[in-house]
Amino acid sequence: MLELAHIQYMVGEKRVLQNISAAFPAGHITGIVGPNGAGKTSLLRVAAGLAQVSAGTVMAQGDFADAGWRAKNIAYMPQFQSVAWPLSVREVVALGLLPLNLGSAESEKRVDAALQRCGMARFAARSIDTLSGGEKARVYLARLLATGAPIMLLDEPVQSLDAAGALAVMRLLEAEAAAGKAVIVVMHELNLAQQFCDALVVMQNGTVVLSGAAQHVLSPAQLRPIFGVEFKQLAGGHLVAQDVLNDETPKEA
């Protein structure tokens, strides 16, 4: 389990996060949603120990303050990634295992299993720079899975994937949560969030404005003032954005 209590995060003199409290239990997928600029990525970086807070506490079942503990127990997948060298897919996935000091046999076993789960085993010898954006995304997910970390943080993991790929990724994360891991994922796709997330944290202007079970949070009336969009909820709960409520640049949902 990972828990944030009264977090405040500053960038220079700008308060990016203010008085954030949220719990991310093991065995669940918790989605973080909200309009662009709401502070979702900053919150995820704080949860990963990559951003120093000016107030508040991050708590876990271990010594969160210790970088070595975080490297072994928290797996973080940022929104934008690149590899500077033309490493093979296998080598890229193996990089995620460096903090674990595993033997070569165990490392190879984990890499093989992760590539297989992500449908990338046949690309193992390919150079990472020859892959499409969606293929790279699955390689980076394989690197995350190979670590076996009990806390998984993912920033928009389905953004470059087609519908089938997005469903496959969310089902993998669902399986990780079912295995007892705490899975925290930043998402823009509200319907995928509704389908797969056990709970949601909804952010706006650096604060948490809603939280709870997905089916209770994702109502048109509650989302309307947050996203500035009129939503219609279809049978089965599917959300459709219909109209922007003002003349400003439309906000992504």
Coordinates of all heavy atoms in Angstrom, one line a residue, residues 80-150:
F80 N 6.5 10.0 -21.2 CA 7.4 10.1 -22.3 C 8.7 9.4 -22.0 O 9.3 9.7 -21.0 CB 7.6 11.5 -22.7 CG 6.3 12.3 -23.0 CD1 5.8 13.2 -22.2 CD2 5.6 12.0 -24.2 CE1 4.7 13.9 -22.5 CE2 4.4 12.6 -24.5 CZ 4.0 13.6 -23.6
Q81 N 9.1 8.5 -22.9 CA 10.4 7.8 -22.7 C 11.2 7.7 -24.0 O 10.6 7.7 -25.1 CB 10.1 6.3 -22.2 CG 9.3 6.2 -20.9 CD 9.2 4.8 -20.5 OE1 10.2 4.2 -20.0 NE2 8.0 4.3 -20.5
S82 N 12.4 7.6 -23.9 CA 13.3 7.4 -25.0 C 14.5 6.6 -24.6 O 14.9 6.7 -23.4 CB 13.7 8.7 -25.7 OG 14.4 9.5 -24.8
V83 N 15.1 6.0 -25.5 CA 16.4 5.3 -25.3 C 17.4 5.9 -26.2 O 17.3 6.0 -27.4 CB 16.2 3.8 -25.6 CG1 17.6 3.0 -25.4 CG2 15.2 3.1 -24.7
A84 N 18.5 6.3 -25.6 CA 19.5 7.1 -26.3 C 20.4 6.3 -27.3 O 20.9 6.7 -28.2 CB 20.4 7.9 -25.4
W85 N 20.5 5.0 -27.0 CA 21.3 4.1 -27.8 C 20.4 3.0 -28.5 O 19.3 2.7 -27.9 CB 22.3 3.4 -26.9 CG 23.3 4.4 -26.3 CD1 24.4 5.0 -26.8 CD2 23.2 4.9 -25.0 NE1 25.0 5.8 -25.9 CE2 24.3 5.8 -24.8 CE3 22.3 4.7 -23.9 CZ2 24.5 6.5 -23.6 CZ3 22.5 5.4 -22.7 CH2 23.6 6.2 -22.6
P86 N 20.9 2.5 -29.6 CA 20.0 1.4 -30.3 C 20.2 0.1 -29.6 O 20.6 -0.9 -30.2 CB 20.7 1.4 -31.7 CG 22.1 1.8 -31.5 CD 22.1 2.9 -30.4
L87 N 19.7 0.0 -28.4 CA 19.7 -1.3 -27.6 C 18.7 -2.2 -28.2 O 17.7 -1.8 -28.8 CB 19.4 -1.0 -26.1 CG 20.4 -0.1 -25.4 CD1 19.9 0.1 -24.0 CD2 21.8 -0.7 -25.4
S88 N 18.9 -3.5 -28.0 CA 17.9 -4.5 -28.4 C 16.7 -4.4 -27.4 O 16.8 -3.9 -26.2 CB 18.4 -5.9 -28.4 OG 18.7 -6.3 -27.0
V89 N 15.6 -4.9 -27.8 CA 14.4 -4.9 -26.9 C 14.7 -5.7 -25.7 O 14.3 -5.2 -24.6 CB 13.2 -5.5 -27.7 CG1 12.1 -5.9 -26.8 CG2 12.7 -4.6 -28.8
R90 N 15.4 -6.8 -25.8 CA 15.7 -7.6 -24.6 C 16.6 -6.7 -23.6 O 16.4 -6.8 -22.4 CB 16.5 -8.8 -25.0 CG 17.1 -9.6 -23.9 CD 17.7 -10.9 -24.3 NE 16.7 -11.9 -24.7 CZ 16.0 -12.6 -23.9 NH1 16.3 -12.5 -22.6 NH2 15.1 -13.4 -24.3
E91 N 17.5 -6.0 -24.1 CA 18.4 -5.2 -23.3 C 17.6 -4.1 -22.6 O 17.9 -3.8 -21.4 CB 19.5 -4.6 -24.1 CG 20.6 -5.6 -24.6 CD 21.6 -5.1 -25.6 OE1 21.2 -4.2 -26.4 OE2 22.7 -5.5 -25.6
V92 N 16.7 -3.5 -23.3 CA 15.9 -2.4 -22.7 C 15.1 -3.0 -21.5 O 15.0 -2.4 -20.5 CB 15.0 -1.8 -23.8 CG1 14.0 -0.8 -23.1 CG2 15.8 -1.0 -24.8
V93 N 14.5 -4.1 -21.7 CA 13.7 -4.7 -20.6 C 14.6 -5.1 -19.5 O 14.2 -4.9 -18.3 CB 12.9 -5.9 -21.1 CG1 12.2 -6.6 -20.0 CG2 11.9 -5.5 -22.2
A94 N 15.8 -5.6 -19.7 CA 16.7 -6.0 -18.7 C 17.2 -4.8 -17.8 O 17.6 -5.0 -16.7 CB 17.9 -6.7 -19.3
L95 N 17.1 -3.6 -18.4 CA 17.6 -2.5 -17.6 C 16.7 -2.3 -16.4 O 17.2 -1.8 -15.4 CB 17.5 -1.2 -18.5 CG 18.5 -1.0 -19.6 CD1 18.2 0.2 -20.4 CD2 19.9 -0.9 -19.0
G96 N 15.5 -2.7 -16.4 CA 14.6 -2.5 -15.3 C 15.0 -3.4 -14.1 O 14.6 -3.2 -12.9
L97 N 15.9 -4.4 -14.3 CA 16.3 -5.3 -13.3 C 17.6 -4.9 -12.6 O 18.0 -5.6 -11.6 CB 16.5 -6.7 -13.9 CG 15.2 -7.3 -14.6 CD1 15.5 -8.7 -15.2 CD2 14.0 -7.4 -13.6
L98 N 18.2 -3.9 -13.1 CA 19.5 -3.5 -12.5 C 19.5 -3.3 -11.0 O 20.5 -3.8 -10.3 CB 20.1 -2.3 -13.2 CG 20.5 -2.4 -14.7 CD1 21.0 -1.1 -15.2 CD2 21.6 -3.5 -14.8
P99 N 18.5 -2.7 -10.4 CA 18.5 -2.5 -8.9 C 18.4 -3.8 -8.1 O 18.6 -3.8 -6.9 CB 17.4 -1.5 -8.7 CG 17.0 -0.9 -10.0 CD 17.3 -2.0 -11.0
L100 N 18.0 -4.8 -8.8 CA 17.6 -6.1 -8.1 C 18.8 -7.0 -7.8 O 18.7 -7.9 -7.0 CB 16.5 -6.8 -8.8 CG 15.2 -6.0 -9.1 CD1 14.2 -6.8 -9.8 CD2 14.7 -5.4 -7.8
N101 N 19.9 -6.8 -8.6 CA 21.1 -7.7 -8.5 C 20.7 -9.2 -8.6 O 21.1 -10.0 -7.8 CB 21.7 -7.4 -7.1 CG 22.2 -6.0 -7.0 OD1 22.8 -5.4 -7.9 ND2 22.0 -5.3 -5.9
L102 N 20.0 -9.5 -9.6 CA 19.6 -10.9 -9.8 C 20.7 -11.6 -10.6 O 21.5 -11.0 -11.3 CB 18.3 -10.9 -10.7 CG 17.1 -10.3 -10.1 CD1 16.0 -10.3 -11.1 CD2 16.7 -10.9 -8.8
G103 N 20.7 -12.9 -10.5 CA 21.6 -13.7 -11.3 C 21.2 -13.7 -12.8 O 20.0 -13.4 -13.1
S104 N 22.0 -14.1 -13.7 CA 21.7 -14.1 -15.1 C 20.5 -15.0 -15.5 O 19.7 -14.6 -16.3 CB 22.9 -14.4 -15.9 OG 23.4 -15.7 -15.6
A105 N 20.5 -16.1 -14.9 CA 19.4 -17.1 -15.2 C 18.0 -16.5 -14.8 O 17.0 -16.5 -15.5 CB 19.6 -18.4 -14.5
E106 N 17.9 -15.9 -13.6 CA 16.7 -15.3 -13.1 C 16.3 -14.1 -14.0 O 15.1 -13.9 -14.3 CB 16.8 -14.9 -11.6 CG 15.6 -14.2 -11.1 CD 14.3 -15.1 -11.1 OE1 14.4 -16.3 -11.1 OE2 13.2 -14.5 -10.9
S107 N 17.3 -13.3 -14.3 CA 17.1 -12.1 -15.1 C 16.5 -12.5 -16.5 O 15.5 -11.9 -17.0 CB 18.4 -11.3 -15.3 OG 18.8 -10.8 -14.1
E108 N 17.1 -13.5 -17.1 CA 16.6 -14.0 -18.4 C 15.2 -14.5 -18.3 O 14.4 -14.3 -19.2 CB 17.6 -15.0 -19.0 CG 18.9 -14.5 -19.4 CD 19.9 -15.5 -20.0 OE1 19.4 -16.7 -20.2 OE2 21.0 -15.3 -20.2
K109 N 15.0 -15.2 -17.3 CA 13.6 -15.8 -17.1 C 12.6 -14.7 -17.0 O 11.5 -14.7 -17.6 CB 13.6 -16.6 -15.8 CG 12.3 -17.3 -15.5 CD 12.4 -18.1 -14.2 CE 11.0 -18.6 -13.8 NZ 11.1 -19.4 -12.5
R110 N 12.9 -13.6 -16.2 CA 12.0 -12.5 -16.0 C 11.8 -11.7 -17.3 O 10.6 -11.4 -17.6 CB 12.5 -11.6 -14.9 CG 12.4 -12.2 -13.5 CD 12.5 -11.1 -12.5 NE 12.5 -11.5 -11.1 CZ 12.3 -10.8 -10.1 NH1 12.0 -9.5 -10.3 NH2 12.3 -11.3 -8.9
V111 N 12.8 -11.5 -18.0 CA 12.7 -10.8 -19.3 C 11.9 -11.5 -20.3 O 11.0 -11.0 -20.9 CB 14.1 -10.5 -19.9 CG1 14.0 -9.9 -21.3 CG2 14.9 -9.5 -19.0
D112 N 12.1 -12.8 -20.4 CA 11.4 -13.7 -21.3 C 9.9 -13.7 -21.0 O 9.0 -13.5 -21.9 CB 11.9 -15.1 -21.3 CG 13.2 -15.3 -22.0 OD1 13.6 -14.4 -22.8 OD2 13.9 -16.3 -21.7
A113 N 9.6 -13.8 -19.7 CA 8.2 -13.8 -19.3 C 7.5 -12.5 -19.5 O 6.3 -12.5 -20.0 CB 8.1 -14.2 -17.8
A114 N 8.2 -11.4 -19.2 CA 7.6 -10.1 -19.4 C 7.3 -9.8 -20.9 O 6.3 -9.3 -21.3 CB 8.5 -9.0 -18.8
L115 N 8.3 -10.2 -21.8 CA 8.1 -10.0 -23.2 C 7.0 -10.8 -23.7 O 6.2 -10.4 -24.6 CB 9.4 -10.3 -23.9 CG 10.6 -9.3 -23.8 CD1 11.8 -9.8 -24.4 CD2 10.2 -8.0 -24.5
Q116 N 6.9 -12.0 -23.3 CA 5.8 -12.9 -23.7 C 4.4 -12.3 -23.3 O 3.5 -12.3 -24.1 CB 6.0 -14.3 -23.1 CG 5.0 -15.3 -23.6 CD 5.3 -15.7 -25.0 OE1 6.4 -15.8 -25.5 NE2 4.2 -15.8 -25.8
R117 N 4.3 -11.8 -22.1 CA 3.1 -11.3 -21.6 C 2.6 -10.0 -22.4 O 1.4 -9.8 -22.6 CB 3.2 -10.9 -20.1 CG 3.3 -12.1 -19.2 CD 3.3 -11.6 -17.7 NE 2.0 -11.1 -17.4 CZ 1.8 -10.4 -16.3 NH1 2.8 -10.1 -15.4 NH2 0.6 -9.9 -16.0
C118 N 3.6 -9.3 -22.8 CA 3.3 -8.0 -23.6 C 3.3 -8.3 -25.1 O 3.1 -7.3 -25.9 CB 4.4 -7.0 -23.3 SG 4.3 -6.4 -21.5
G119 N 3.4 -9.5 -25.5 CA 3.3 -9.8 -27.0 C 4.5 -9.3 -27.7 O 4.4 -9.0 -28.9
M120 N 5.7 -9.2 -27.1 CA 6.8 -8.6 -27.7 C 8.0 -9.6 -27.8 O 9.1 -9.3 -28.2 CB 7.3 -7.4 -27.0 CG 6.3 -6.2 -27.1 SD 6.0 -5.7 -28.8 CE 7.5 -5.0 -29.3
A121 N 7.8 -10.9 -27.5 CA 8.8 -11.9 -27.5 C 9.5 -12.0 -28.9 O 10.7 -12.2 -29.0 CB 8.3 -13.3 -27.1
R122 N 8.7 -11.9 -30.0 CA 9.3 -12.0 -31.3 C 10.2 -10.8 -31.7 O 10.9 -10.9 -32.7 CB 8.2 -12.3 -32.3 CG 7.3 -11.1 -32.6 CD 6.2 -11.4 -33.5 NE 5.3 -10.3 -33.9 CZ 4.3 -9.8 -33.2 NH1 4.1 -10.3 -32.0 NH2 3.6 -8.8 -33.6
F123 N 10.1 -9.8 -30.9 CA 10.9 -8.6 -31.2 C 12.1 -8.5 -30.3 O 12.8 -7.5 -30.3 CB 10.1 -7.3 -31.0 CG 8.9 -7.1 -31.9 CD1 7.6 -7.6 -31.6 CD2 9.1 -6.5 -33.2 CE1 6.6 -7.4 -32.4 CE2 8.0 -6.4 -34.0 CZ 6.8 -6.8 -33.7
A124 N 12.4 -9.5 -29.5 CA 13.5 -9.5 -28.5 C 14.8 -9.0 -29.0 O 15.5 -8.3 -28.4 CB 13.6 -10.8 -27.8
A125 N 15.2 -9.4 -30.3 CA 16.5 -9.1 -30.8 C 16.5 -7.8 -31.6 O 17.5 -7.3 -32.0 CB 17.0 -10.2 -31.7
R126 N 15.3 -7.2 -31.8 CA 15.2 -6.0 -32.6 C 15.7 -4.8 -31.8 O 15.6 -4.7 -30.6 CB 13.7 -5.7 -33.0 CG 13.1 -6.6 -34.1 CD 13.3 -5.9 -35.4 NE 12.6 -4.7 -35.5 CZ 11.3 -4.6 -35.9 NH1 10.6 -5.7 -36.2 NH2 10.7 -3.4 -36.0
S127 N 16.3 -3.9 -32.6 CA 16.7 -2.6 -32.0 C 15.5 -1.8 -31.6 O 14.5 -1.7 -32.4 CB 17.6 -1.8 -32.9 OG 18.0 -0.6 -32.4
I128 N 15.5 -1.2 -30.4 CA 14.4 -0.4 -29.9 C 14.0 0.7 -30.9 O 12.8 1.1 -31.0 CB 14.7 0.1 -28.5 CG1 13.4 0.7 -27.9 CG2 15.8 1.1 -28.5 CD1 12.3 -0.2 -27.5
D129 N 15.0 1.3 -31.6 CA 14.7 2.4 -32.4 C 14.1 2.1 -33.8 O 13.9 2.9 -34.6 CB 16.0 3.3 -32.6 CG 17.1 2.5 -33.3 OD1 17.0 1.3 -33.5 OD2 18.2 3.1 -33.5
T130 N 13.9 0.8 -34.0 CA 13.2 0.4 -35.2 C 11.7 0.1 -35.0 O 11.0 -0.3 -35.9 CB 13.8 -0.9 -35.8 OG1 13.6 -2.0 -34.9 CG2 15.3 -0.7 -36.0
L131 N 11.2 0.3 -33.7 CA 9.9 -0.1 -33.4 C 8.9 1.1 -33.5 O 9.4 2.3 -33.5 CB 9.8 -0.6 -32.0 CG 10.6 -1.8 -31.6 CD1 10.4 -2.3 -30.2 CD2 10.4 -3.0 -32.6
S132 N 7.7 0.9 -33.7 CA 6.6 1.9 -33.7 C 6.4 2.4 -32.3 O 6.9 1.8 -31.3 CB 5.3 1.4 -34.3 OG 4.7 0.5 -33.3
G133 N 5.7 3.5 -32.1 CA 5.4 4.1 -30.8 C 4.6 3.1 -30.0 O 4.9 2.9 -28.8
G134 N 3.7 2.4 -30.5 CA 2.9 1.4 -29.8 C 3.7 0.2 -29.3 O 3.6 -0.3 -28.2
E135 N 4.6 -0.2 -30.2 CA 5.5 -1.3 -29.9 C 6.5 -0.9 -28.8 O 6.7 -1.7 -27.8 CB 6.2 -1.8 -31.1 CG 5.4 -2.5 -32.2 CD 6.0 -2.6 -33.5 OE1 7.0 -1.9 -33.8 OE2 5.5 -3.4 -34.3
K136 N 7.0 0.3 -28.8 CA 7.9 0.7 -27.8 C 7.1 0.8 -26.4 O 7.7 0.4 -25.4 CB 8.4 2.1 -28.1 CG 9.5 2.1 -29.2 CD 9.9 3.6 -29.5 CE 10.9 3.6 -30.7 NZ 11.3 5.0 -31.0
A137 N 5.9 1.2 -26.5 CA 5.1 1.3 -25.2 C 5.0 0.0 -24.6 O 5.1 -0.2 -23.4 CB 3.7 1.9 -25.5
R138 N 4.8 -1.1 -25.4 CA 4.7 -2.4 -24.8 C 6.1 -2.9 -24.3 O 6.1 -3.7 -23.3 CB 4.1 -3.4 -25.9 CG 2.6 -3.2 -26.1 CD 2.1 -4.2 -27.0 NE 2.4 -4.0 -28.4 CZ 2.3 -4.9 -29.4 NH1 1.9 -6.1 -29.1 NH2 2.6 -4.6 -30.6
V139 N 7.1 -2.5 -24.9 CA 8.5 -2.8 -24.4 C 8.7 -2.2 -23.0 O 9.2 -2.8 -22.1 CB 9.6 -2.4 -25.4 CG1 11.0 -2.6 -24.8 CG2 9.5 -3.2 -26.7
Y140 N 8.3 -0.9 -22.9 CA 8.5 -0.2 -21.6 C 7.6 -0.9 -20.6 O 8.0 -0.9 -19.4 CB 8.2 1.2 -21.8 CG 9.1 2.0 -22.8 CD1 8.6 2.9 -23.6 CD2 10.4 1.6 -22.8 CE1 9.4 3.6 -24.5 CE2 11.3 2.3 -23.7 CZ 10.8 3.3 -24.6 OH 11.6 3.9 -25.5
L141 N 6.4 -1.3 -20.9 CA 5.6 -2.0 -20.0 C 6.2 -3.3 -19.6 O 6.2 -3.7 -18.4 CB 4.2 -2.3 -20.6 CG 3.2 -3.0 -19.7 CD1 2.9 -2.2 -18.4 CD2 1.9 -3.3 -20.4
A142 N 6.8 -4.1 -20.5 CA 7.5 -5.3 -20.2 C 8.6 -5.0 -19.2 O 8.8 -5.8 -18.2 CB 8.0 -6.0 -21.4
R143 N 9.3 -3.9 -19.4 CA 10.4 -3.6 -18.4 C 9.8 -3.4 -17.0 O 10.4 -3.8 -16.0 CB 11.1 -2.3 -18.9 CG 12.3 -1.9 -18.0 CD 13.1 -0.8 -18.6 NE 12.3 0.4 -18.8 CZ 12.8 1.5 -19.4 NH1 14.0 1.5 -20.0 NH2 12.0 2.6 -19.6
L144 N 8.7 -2.8 -17.0 CA 8.0 -2.5 -15.7 C 7.6 -3.9 -15.0 O 7.9 -4.1 -13.9 CB 6.8 -1.7 -15.9 CG 6.1 -1.1 -14.7 CD1 6.8 0.2 -14.3 CD2 4.6 -0.8 -15.0
L145 N 7.0 -4.7 -15.8 CA 6.5 -6.0 -15.3 C 7.6 -6.9 -14.8 O 7.5 -7.6 -13.9 CB 5.7 -6.7 -16.4 CG 4.4 -6.1 -16.8 CD1 3.8 -6.9 -18.0 CD2 3.4 -6.0 -15.7
A146 N 8.7 -6.8 -15.5 CA 9.9 -7.7 -15.2 C 10.4 -7.5 -13.8 O 11.0 -8.4 -13.2 CB 11.0 -7.5 -16.2
T147 N 10.3 -6.3 -13.3 CA 10.8 -5.9 -12.0 C 10.1 -6.7 -10.9 O 10.7 -7.0 -9.8 CB 10.7 -4.4 -11.7 OG1 9.3 -4.1 -11.5 CG2 11.3 -3.6 -12.8
G148 N 8.8 -7.0 -11.1 CA 8.0 -7.7 -10.0 C 7.7 -6.8 -8.8 O 7.3 -7.2 -7.8
A149 N 7.9 -5.5 -9.0 CA 7.7 -4.5 -7.9 C 6.3 -4.6 -7.4 O 5.3 -4.6 -8.2 CB 8.1 -3.1 -8.3
P150 N 6.1 -4.5 -6.1 CA 4.7 -4.5 -5.5 C 3.9 -3.2 -5.7 O 2.7 -3.2 -5.6 CB 4.9 -4.8 -4.1 CG 6.3 -4.3 -3.8 CD 7.1 -4.5 -5.0

